[in-house]
């Protein structure tokens, strides 16, 4: 199975909102409510930001929200801040034989 | 505070072996399902494999690229996770992250919630 498809880059100005998409198939994104999003700053480990499509772990600001429509999941970052600049990865459960797929990552630039 | 500290990375020749360790603290390790995720330089994330808690059977699962070459094990007395890697190839060059699932809900959906800082493995002659 191929990786999930994300745009390589996204950008927005402070205070604006930006949405990052993650497209898969009916065998992964569309088939399960098991999409996660990770934030990774340079030289650091990824950090879980969203799980099960729209749930936020404790400590993640509510400026980060997730959604899904069909085979495409989305991460929206509202009220952009300079600290949000990072690479964001999506992942999805994809069944027992190859349980998790990742997207290629989207580098978010805060202008 | 939940903490994972990996060690054991380094430079190894193609065909060689290496064992990574991950020391865990701040949570009940023996009940946690654990996993390894890797990231090649400048690339995205790739799941390597997982091990369930002993109370849930202690079984392991692996991704296709590493199955038959990598073995995940755990020592609950030492709160330590291991990744034994053999028949290493250049494609195995990556930062290897130890990840803990703090709830079974997260494990069921492969949402990786607690990450170590990673240990770098370079396979090169």
């Amino acid at each position: 199975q191929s990786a999930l498809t994300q745009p390589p880059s996204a950008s927005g100005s402070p205070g604006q909102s930006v949405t990052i998409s993650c497209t898969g198939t009916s065998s992964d994104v569309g088939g399960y409510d098991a999409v996660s999003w990770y934030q990774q700053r340079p030289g650091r480990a990824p950090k879980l930001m969203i799980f099960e499509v729209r749930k936020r772990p404790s400590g993640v600001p509510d400026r980060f929200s997730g959604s899904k429509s069909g085979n495409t999941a989305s991460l929206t970052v509202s009220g952009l801040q300079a600290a949000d600049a990072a690479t964001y990865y999506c992942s999805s459960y994809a069944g027992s034989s190859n349980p998790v797929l990742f997207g290629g990552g989207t580098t978010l630039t805060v202008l | 505070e939940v903490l994972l500290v990996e060690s054991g990375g380094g430079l190894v020749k193609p065909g060689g072996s290496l064992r990574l360790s991950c020391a865990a603290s701040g949570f009940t390790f023996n009940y946690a399902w654990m996993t390894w995720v890797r990231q090649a330089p400048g690339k995205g994330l790739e799941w390597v494999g997982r091990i369930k808690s002993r109370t849930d059977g202690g079984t392991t699962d692996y991704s296709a690229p590493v199955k038959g070459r990598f073995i995940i094990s755990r020592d609950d007395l030492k709160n330590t996770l291991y990744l034994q890697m053999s028949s290493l190839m250049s494609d195995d060059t990556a930062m290897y992250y130890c990840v803990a699932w703090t709830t079974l809900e997260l494990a069921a959906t492969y949402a990786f919630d607690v990450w170590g800082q990673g240990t770098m493995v370079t396979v090169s002659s």
Side-chain angles (χ1 to χ4, degrees):
Chain A
Q1 284 171 290
S2 302
L4 307 177
T5 300
Q6 296 181 238
S9 63
S11 63
S13 299
Q16 289 185 332
S17 294
V18 64
T19 296
I20 299 170
S21 63
C22 171
T23 301
T25 69
S26 58
S27 296
D28 38 72
V29 174
Y32 308 93
D33 284 335
V35 175
S36 302
W37 290 92
Y38 302 88
Q39 176 192 68
Q40 187 176 34
R41 296 191 174 101
R44 303 292 297 276
K47 175 186 176 183
L48 180 66
M49 305 299 285
I50 297 287
F51 66 100
E52 293 177 25
V53 179
R54 63 185 75 251
K55 296 181 180 179
R56 280 188 307 277
S58 174
V60 173
D62 59 7
R63 301 185 298 103
F64 292 84
S65 62
S67 62
K68 188 183 81 167
S69 177
N71 298 335
T72 298
S74 299
L75 172 71
T76 297
V77 186
S78 305
L80 271 175
Q81 300 178 0
D84 299 332
T87 298
Y88 292 83
Y89 293 94
C90 65
S91 73
S92 175
Y93 179 70
S96 58
S97 61
N98 186 19
V100 60
L101 296 177
F102 286 96
T106 299
T107 299
L108 174 61
T109 301
V110 181
L111 302 170
Chain B
E1 179 194 8
V2 178
L3 193 61
L4 300 170
V5 179
E6 301 95 332
S7 61
L11 176 64
V12 60
K13 289 181 168 54
S17 299
L18 203 61
R19 188 179 82 158
L20 307 183
S21 300
C22 170
S25 60
F27 63 103
T28 308
F29 180 79
N30 56 302
Y31 288 131
W33 293 23
M34 301 293 296
T35 186
W36 289 93
V37 176
R38 68 184 181 181
Q39 185 172 33
K43 302 296 185 181
L45 303 167
E46 180 185 20
W47 175 71
V48 172
R50 72 158 186 199
I51 185 167
K52 297 181 180 180
S53 64
R54 290 210 182 278
T55 55
D56 290 315
T59 55
T60 53
D61 294 283
Y62 302 93
S63 66
V66 309
K67 195 169 187 177
R69 300 188 299 121
F70 289 12
I71 297 174
I72 298 173
S73 61
R74 61 192 299 158
D75 185 333
D76 290 346
L77 294 179
K78 295 182 177 180
N79 284 0
T80 301
L81 177 74
Y82 301 101
L83 178 64
Q84 178 68 50
M85 304 183 294
S86 59
S87 302
L88 284 162
M89 306 180 294
S90 58
D91 284 352
D92 297 318
T93 294
M95 181 72 77
Y96 284 74
Y97 293 101
C98 166
V99 184
W101 279 308
T102 56
T103 72
L104 290 183
E105 176 186 11
L106 293 171
T109 57
Y110 283 77
F112 305 103
D113 62 326
V114 181
W115 297 66
Q117 87 287 351
T119 188
M120 186 67 199
V121 172
T122 303
V123 183
S124 175
S125 55

